[in-house]
Amino acid sequence: MHSGNPHDPLALTVVSTHATSDGLVSYLRCSCGAWEVRTGSLVGCVSPRAKTIDGPGIPS
């Protein structure tokens, strides 16, 4: 795990980068499983959650 936000740049892998009308957007995945979305002006982070499958029709 990491102590700060955004994540350690050495633990990030660029998954996708593309240009939009608002500028460049990069999607990065951390070795801990978290995702970051970066633009020229902000960084958004999504932490990994426990993977569970629950719902009608899905065996437990």
Side-chain angles (χ1 to χ4, degrees), residues 1-34:
M1 288 307 270
H2 305 287
S3 59
N5 210 7
H7 290 258
D8 177 7
L10 298 176
L12 294 172
T13 302
V14 177
V15 176
S16 176
T17 301
H18 62 274
T20 69
S21 59
D22 294 323
L24 191 65
V25 177
S26 299
Y27 297 88
L28 302 99
R29 177 118 174 142
C30 183
S31 61
C32 75

